[in-house]
Amino acid sequence: MSDVREIIRDRVKDAVEKKLENIFREFLTKEFVEQKRYRELLAVWLIAHPELYSYPKILEVECHRREYCGVGNIRILEYKTLIAITKQTVKSHESDIIASARSALDTIIKNPSSIDEKITARQIYNSTVNSLGDGIRKYVENQGDTLEFEVGYKSVYIEPAKILSKAAGFILGNTPEVVEYFEKEIMENIRVLSSDAKLTVVILSAYPRIFQGYSFDLGVLDTLRDIVSQGTIHIPETDKWRLREELYKAGLIASADKNIVPPFALDIWKNAVNIRGIISDVPPEVVERVRTILSWRGYDD
């Protein structure tokens, strides 16, 4: 029975999170994209990103985790403002959020994978809906960052700020005018990157997880250098700290304790070995070796 409750809990949680993300996308599109507040949208993604802690930064935007983001001495986003946005948005869409939980439970009851699922979903239906409503009201009224409720005595914890960051990431990677805006800036920055930084981009592009949006540590560069060189191509070691600074200032990575490629730069990384501005200063044998490695893995676009 506990396993059934956990399955139902996870489905309800997923439904609520997806509803929140859709609500936040609509809000961010209206308030940031339509008003061309792209730097602030980037700050929303950065300051609450679940994998970027401490002092995340990209381009000239630098954030103090759970404090603020700024460009130089100008603050462009306060974390408390971001929390206020999430609370007000959740409050305004309380009925929609509750409806998403109802819909998840209704779907389980109509199309259960077992009789236990159907019976359990019926038994906990009202208590779950009531708990979510109470949780929303407490989240809106209190100082905490977490929306808490129960699904059949199984606790659910959701951080709306992280979902807001995810919604911002989706927009940064899927809204043409936003992608074009940042891509143009990155390509201009690539022109003035050091040859070491361009070499690093080509070598790192041999690691598909990077352009699939996963976080990574620059320590992987040592392993990739060995894979690419295979003992036949000399690839000099470089100062990772300096490279990291170049890459985040160029907009190619967002950097904190970990590094992650921003959504609008994924295609640039995926096609790095074919971008003239990058490979012009990289030894041709390195470029060809990386192209070969990517072809083995099915990424030789």
Side-chain angles (χ1 to χ4, degrees):
M1 184 65 73
S2 61
D3 289 342
V4 169
R5 289 178 183 270
E6 288 175 3
I7 291 171
I8 295 173
R9 175 200 61 190
D10 291 345
R11 290 179 65 175
V12 171
K13 180 182 179 183
D14 184 61
V16 171
E17 289 181 335
K18 286 181 177 178
K19 173 56 68 173
L20 281 171
E21 185 177 352
N22 288 334
I23 290 169
F24 287 144
R25 284 183 194 174
E26 292 179 6
F27 170 82
L28 292 171
T29 298
K30 180 180 179 180
E31 298 296 328
F32 290 80
V33 177
E34 292 179 5
Q35 298 184 36
K36 301 188 183 303
R37 296 163 59 192
Y38 301 150
R39 280 294 193 274
E40 292 164 82
L41 178 65
L42 181 58
V44 170
W45 174 72
L46 201 61
I47 197 170
H49 194 286
E51 294 187 88
L52 297 174
Y53 296 93
S54 185
Y55 300 97
K57 54 192 73 174
I58 184 172
L59 295 169
E60 77 278 33
V61 180
E62 298 188 9
C63 299
H64 292 249
R65 183 75 175 182
R66 295 181 182 271
E67 291 185 37
Y68 67 89
C69 292
V71 174
N73 295 322
I74 301 174
R75 295 192 179 194
I76 62 172
L77 177 69
E78 298 281 350
Y79 186 73
K80 62 183 179 183
T81 301
L82 181 140
I83 294 300
I85 288 172
T86 64
K87 290 183 184 291
Q88 182 57 47
T89 306
V90 168
K91 180 180 180 180
S92 299
H93 292 83
E94 178 179 351
S95 60
D96 295 327
I97 297 168
I98 292 175
S100 70
R102 286 183 180 275
S103 178
L105 291 168
D106 287 338
T107 299
I108 293 171
I109 292 171
K110 292 176 182 177
N111 299 289
S113 58
S114 69
I115 189 64
D116 281 343
E117 266 194 15
K118 182 173 185 177
I119 292 173
T120 303
R122 279 179 170 172
Q123 290 175 337
I124 66 175
Y125 193 103
N126 289 333
S127 64
T128 296
V129 170
N130 291 336
S131 179
L132 177 56
D134 290 340
I136 289 173
R137 286 184 283 276
K138 289 178 181 177
Y139 169 72
V140 170
E141 295 168 2
N142 298 334
Q143 296 297 316
D145 294 350
T146 305
L147 167 60
E148 303 178 24
F149 63 99
E150 290 188 348
V151 178
Y153 306 110
K154 295 291 182 180
S155 297
V156 173
Y157 303 95
I158 294 174
E159 292 188 51
K162 290 183 178 179
I163 298 177
L164 182 65
S165 171
K166 183 179 179 182
F170 179 87
I171 293 172
L172 287 168
N174 292 278
T175 305
E177 60 264 40
V178 177
V179 174
E180 182 180 356
Y181 172 86
F182 284 110
E183 278 187 344
K184 181 179 179 181
E185 183 170 1
I186 291 173
M187 293 307 296
E188 290 174 352
N189 291 336
I190 283 173
R191 291 169 49 203
V192 293
L193 283 180
S194 68
S195 57
D196 283 347
K198 293 179 181 179
L199 174 63
T200 297
V201 171
V202 170
I203 293 173
L204 285 174
S205 72
Y207 187 46
R209 285 179 63 87
I210 288 176
F211 55 72
Q212 291 170 342
Y214 292 95
S215 61
F216 64 96
D217 188 285
L218 279 181
V220 74
L221 185 60
D222 295 326
T223 301
L224 290 171
R225 186 186 295 109
D226 292 340
I227 292 173
V228 173
S229 72
Q230 295 181 16
T232 61
I233 301 175
H234 175 66
I235 301 176
E237 293 189 11
T238 48
D239 182 344
K240 295 185 185 67
W241 183 263
R242 179 177 61 79
L243 290 172
R244 168 181 169 270
E245 188 173 27
E246 275 200 78
L247 294 179
Y248 81 68
K249 286 184 176 179
L252 285 163
I253 63 172
S255 185
D257 304 83
K258 297 180 180 180
N259 307 289
I260 192 165
V261 173
F264 47 74
L266 293 174
D267 283 346
I268 291 176
W269 278 91
K270 186 175 182 180
N271 296 293
V273 291
N274 298 310
I275 296 175
R276 185 175 298 278
I278 295 175
I279 64 176
S280 59
D281 293 330
V282 177
E285 61 270 25
V286 174
V287 175
E288 288 306 314
R289 182 65 56 80
V290 172
R291 284 175 176 166
T292 300
I293 291 171
L294 289 172
S295 71
W296 295 339
R297 296 171 176 173
Y299 289 99
D300 57 338
D301 293 350

